[in-house]
Amino acid sequence: MAASRVKAFGNGTRYVEAGGWARTFAWSIDAIVVLFGLLMGVGALAALDDALHLGGGMLVLGMAVLLFGVPLLYGLCYTDGRALGALCTGTRLVRLRDGGRIGAKGPWAMVIRTVLLPLLIIAAVIGGTVDGSFVRTSIDVGRTRDLPAGSGVDGLPARTP
């Protein structure tokens, strides 16, 4: 493990930051799940339109609801910081302040990850600037557990030799 990935939360508890590839792979899995949900929703919306002849305005509203509703629903799985992408990569999204679980903000975190982050990347590539601060980070669950003297991270007891 690279010592440079060992960091400390705001309360001084140490953790191992997830690697770039793990973060990218976790995000990719989550984005694919959300995309699949969106495709299913569009199919259901098309079937509903075929049966009820909704109108253009209702279809646009339905698409907007899907764009934010699907990540919010998937985000309900994310309240402990471990949606499907995090489970596959052995990571967890935690609060930078104390390493605790993100809780009720999980659905919002999923919207940020799957809808707003791609828009932010596009804006940065076009030439915009991004300003702000992080309140969450991804940790490597296994390596954080293996830190000497335990991690003290919420829900991650230290392994004993």
Side-chain angles (χ1 to χ4, degrees):
M1 158 181 39
S4 63
R5 288 185 27 211
V6 176
K7 309 232 188 249
F9 294 117
N11 66 0
T13 305
R14 294 182 316 139
Y15 68 96
V16 178
E17 188 176 46
W21 286 110
R23 289 178 195 221
T24 302
F25 190 53
W27 175 83
S28 299
I29 291 171
D30 291 339
I32 289 169
V33 169
V34 168
L35 183 61
F36 180 74
L38 286 172
L39 291 175
M40 297 293 289
V42 167
L45 191 59
L48 192 61
D49 179 47
D50 190 41
L52 300 177
H53 306 290
L54 298 174
M58 288 299 290
L59 290 176
V60 169
L61 178 63
M63 294 297 285
V65 167
L66 283 174
L67 182 62
F68 288 96
V70 170
L72 283 171
L73 286 175
Y74 181 51
L76 291 174
C77 303
Y78 211 51
T79 58
D80 72 344
R82 300 204 77 189
L84 186 60
L87 287 172
C88 290
T89 58
T91 62
R92 174 177 282 153
L93 190 67
V94 296
R95 292 187 310 251
L96 270 174
R97 176 184 53 198
D98 59 3
R101 298 172 193 262
I102 57 175
K105 293 184 180 179
W108 176 242
M110 188 58 70
V111 170
I112 290 171
R113 285 175 63 95
T114 59
V115 177
L116 301 179
L117 182 63
L119 295 176
L120 182 71
I121 292 170
I122 291 168
V125 167
I126 290 174
T129 59
V130 179
D131 198 15
S133 62
F134 291 102
V135 294
R136 293 177 282 277
T137 191
S138 291
I139 64 170
D140 185 316
V141 174
R143 290 184 174 165
T144 297
R145 278 191 185 123
D146 291 339
L147 284 174
S151 68
V153 174
D154 184 23
L156 296 177
R159 291 186 186 149
T160 54

